[in-house]
Amino acid sequence: MFVDKAKIYVKGGDGGDGLVAFRREKYVPEGGPAGGDGGKGGDVIFQVDEGLRTLMDFRYQRHFKGERGIKGRNKSQHGANAEKMIVRIPPGTIIIDDDTQEVIADMTRHGQQVVVAKGGRGGRGNTRFATPNNTAPEIAEHGEEGQERWIVLELKVMADVGLVGFPSVGKSTLLSVVSAAQPKIGAYHFTTITPNLGVVEVSEGRSFVMADLPGLIEGAHEGVGLGHEFLRHVERTRVIIHVVDMSGSEGRDPFDDWEKINAELRQYNADLENRPQIVAANKMDMPDSADNLVKFREQVSKVRPDLEILPISSLTRQGVQELLYRAADLLDQIPEAPAIEEVTEINERKIYTLDEGEDEGFTIRRENETFIVESVKIERMMKRMQLNTHDAILKLARTLRHMGVDEELRKRGAKDGTLVQIADFEFEFVEGSSYY
């Protein structure tokens, strides 16, 4: 089954906790702190694998969570960092943040990687908090939580040449003739409901990937028929072969078909109008096709006199080889479309990074007799700090004082015994004291 869109949840691994420990060797009096730091949580990384062609795997597994870092140990031993989680995706996948609709990355090259959820930093052990004034601190931190988000994966088939046209004009037959692909072929509309890919060998050393894309009908850009399920994949192609039924076997006018398909491409993405295009006038083995071709050339010359029109027959293979050579020549003249610009280069390997700044401000509001302090920095610090020792409470109090929270509480009318709430913690305000 071909799946080209999926919504999944990713979360980087949490960092390991830091440790409170002290040296206890027999002949080392007052040995000092010896608690090690926790290890970093595992990143969730998406990596392009050219062997994949669908997002089918994400239909069955929708949650990806990195491993947690190992806790710190005594004797100042650092906990091990967690292994990175590598998730394979097919080339042509676009990764979108579901909340902001921001495009995180456009993955096109084999081996290309992107970090979609960074693992949390490990918590610091009490060795890190030793100072000349406090040589034996009982302070340690919890590991930081890993990044988490919902993301949407959209696959746009990576093909050099795309076959477009109304249903039942012979696109699937053409692909089956020029490649080893075996698309479903039937005498009814929308036989093809998913893109089919085939490698076309033009001559020795010259080949390209051709995609048979689902049939288009009028209104597709608004979702009619297969709608965007088809149009999404046209954007990746470098050359468009527009297959037109020149026999008019279904009572349609070839020129009218050509105009309607181009209108749908233009309304979906204006850039597609300027994409190199070859018209494959198909079914030339049918009666009336030759007369219709003469009329078609006259009509097209008034609109696009430079458009190439090549008569072919997928059934008898008339003109097929000339069509392939012309498509290969156009591909040689067109550079490959660049991916979205990467922001970081590490060891000659492109990697995207997602850094977020920390807000150091705070707000205070009053509910009945309780003052509620809200601050991203303070709440993050309290979440990380192991607030089960006197030293840890003192450190928090110093941070609040340096940020100006004490002074602002006094201005708001806080007095001895006033309740102060930060996140899920409640304290009593003590006037003139260095802690709550």
Side-chain angles (χ1 to χ4, degrees):
M1 182 181 295
F2 183 85
V3 178
D4 61 0
K5 193 167 185 179
K7 181 179 177 180
I8 62 175
Y9 170 82
V10 293
K11 184 182 187 306
D14 297 339
D17 295 342
L19 183 70
V20 175
F22 297 91
R23 296 184 63 182
R24 301 191 183 278
E25 291 91 339
K26 184 175 181 179
Y27 299 106
V28 184
E30 300 180 0
D37 300 344
K40 181 181 180 297
D43 297 334
V44 179
I45 299 176
F46 282 14
Q47 177 174 305
V48 176
D49 184 342
E50 61 184 9
L52 299 178
R53 284 288 177 265
T54 174
L55 298 175
M56 185 65 181
D57 292 344
F58 299 101
R59 184 167 185 167
Y60 301 106
Q61 183 177 355
R62 297 179 181 271
H63 289 74
F64 297 86
K65 185 176 180 180
E67 294 183 1
R68 187 183 186 111
I70 304 301
K71 294 181 179 180
R73 302 176 64 183
N74 56 10
K75 298 185 180 178
S76 302
Q77 295 180 71
H78 196 295
N81 295 334
E83 293 290 332
K84 297 176 181 178
M85 173 180 278
I86 304 295
V87 181
R88 299 185 305 145
I89 57 174
T93 302
I94 295 179
I95 304 172
I96 303 169
D97 187 297
D98 188 52
D99 291 331
T100 64
Q101 296 303 305
E102 173 191 8
V103 175
I104 299 173
D106 186 359
M107 311 294 283
T108 58
R109 301 186 307 277
H110 178 66
Q112 185 180 2
Q113 292 186 337
V114 57
V115 179
V116 294
K118 293 198 298 186
R121 294 174 298 177
R124 293 177 292 177
N126 66 334
T127 304
R128 299 285 188 177
F129 296 95
T131 65
N133 294 329
N134 187 1
T135 57
E138 295 185 4
I139 304 175
E141 293 178 332
H142 294 295
E144 187 178 55
E145 293 183 351
Q147 284 185 329
E148 58 181 322
R149 53 159 50 106
W150 283 91
I151 60 176
V152 174
L153 303 179
E154 286 190 1
L155 174 61
K156 297 182 180 180
V157 168
M158 297 287 292
D160 301 306
V161 176
L163 300 177
V164 305
F166 266 84
S168 298
V169 295
K171 300 186 297 298
S172 297
T173 303
L174 177 59
L175 180 66
S176 68
V177 167
V178 301
S179 73
Q182 297 180 343
K184 183 178 181 181
I185 299 172
Y188 54 90
H189 287 190
F190 299 112
T191 310
T192 303
I193 59 175
T194 62
N196 293 300
L197 296 178
V199 177
V200 179
E201 295 286 347
V202 182
S203 60
E204 187 175 351
R206 298 187 76 189
S207 64
F208 56 81
V209 178
M210 178 181 285
D212 165 27
L213 301 167
L216 243 180
I217 61 175
E218 191 172 6
H221 72 281
E222 297 176 342
V224 178
L226 295 176
H228 293 182
E229 299 302 318
F230 155 76
L231 289 167
R232 179 187 304 127
H233 301 291
V234 183
E235 291 181 296
R236 291 288 190 195
T237 59
R238 296 159 58 200
V239 172
I240 295 174
I241 293 182
H242 192 152
V243 183
V244 179
D245 179 3
M246 204 52 60
S247 69
S249 58
E250 296 193 0
R252 296 196 308 265
D253 177 60
F255 180 71
D256 187 51
D257 284 1
W258 176 78
E259 280 195 317
K260 286 179 178 177
I261 296 297
N262 282 333
E264 294 302 321
L265 296 176
R266 181 172 58 252
Q267 291 178 74
Y268 178 73
N269 185 338
D271 292 338
L272 294 177
E273 187 176 19
N274 301 321
R275 197 70 52 88
Q277 184 179 134
I278 304 172
V279 172
N282 196 21
K283 302 187 181 181
M284 292 303 297
D285 56 306
M286 300 285 287
D288 301 327
S289 293
D291 294 337
N292 290 338
L293 178 60
V294 173
K295 181 181 177 182
F296 181 78
R297 287 185 185 276
E298 292 176 356
Q299 292 172 312
V300 171
S301 64
K302 299 176 182 178
V303 183
R304 288 185 60 177
D306 59 332
L307 185 66
E308 292 187 80
I309 304 172
L310 300 180
I312 69 165
S313 171
S314 299
L315 189 63
T316 66
R317 305 196 179 190
Q318 168 196 345
V320 170
Q321 197 63 29
E322 290 79 1
L323 175 66
L324 299 183
Y325 273 111
R326 185 58 192 135
D329 291 340
L330 281 177
L331 289 172
D332 291 339
Q333 302 170 18
I334 303 170
E336 292 190 13
I340 294 175
E341 183 179 357
E342 298 87 349
V343 297
T344 306
E345 184 171 350
I346 302 176
N347 298 329
E348 301 182 356
R349 180 166 57 93
K350 303 288 187 177
I351 295 181
Y352 298 82
T353 56
L354 307 168
D355 291 325
E356 299 177 359
E358 184 175 64
D359 183 6
E360 296 194 0
F362 66 89
T363 59
I364 299 177
R365 57 188 175 87
R366 186 167 183 170
E367 289 188 2
N368 299 324
E369 299 301 318
T370 302
F371 288 92
I372 299 176
V373 180
E374 296 176 332
S375 167
V376 173
K377 179 178 179 179
I378 297 173
E379 290 177 16
R380 183 172 295 177
M381 175 185 176
M382 293 180 67
K383 190 176 291 186
R384 295 198 67 190
M385 191 68 66
Q386 298 176 12
L387 297 173
N388 55 0
T389 64
H390 183 71
D391 284 355
I393 298 297
L394 285 176
K395 179 176 175 58
L396 173 62
R398 287 194 297 270
T399 300
L400 295 176
R401 187 174 65 251
H402 292 323
M403 289 181 63
V405 176
D406 286 21
E407 184 179 353
E408 187 63 26
L409 285 170
R410 292 189 185 96
K411 290 180 180 178
R412 299 289 184 94
K415 300 178 180 178
D416 282 351
T418 299
L419 287 179
V420 178
Q421 180 180 331
I422 305 176
D424 296 329
F425 297 86
E426 282 192 353
F427 309 89
E428 284 190 3
F429 184 80
V430 180
E431 183 64 53
S433 177
S434 59
Y435 59 91
Y436 294 90

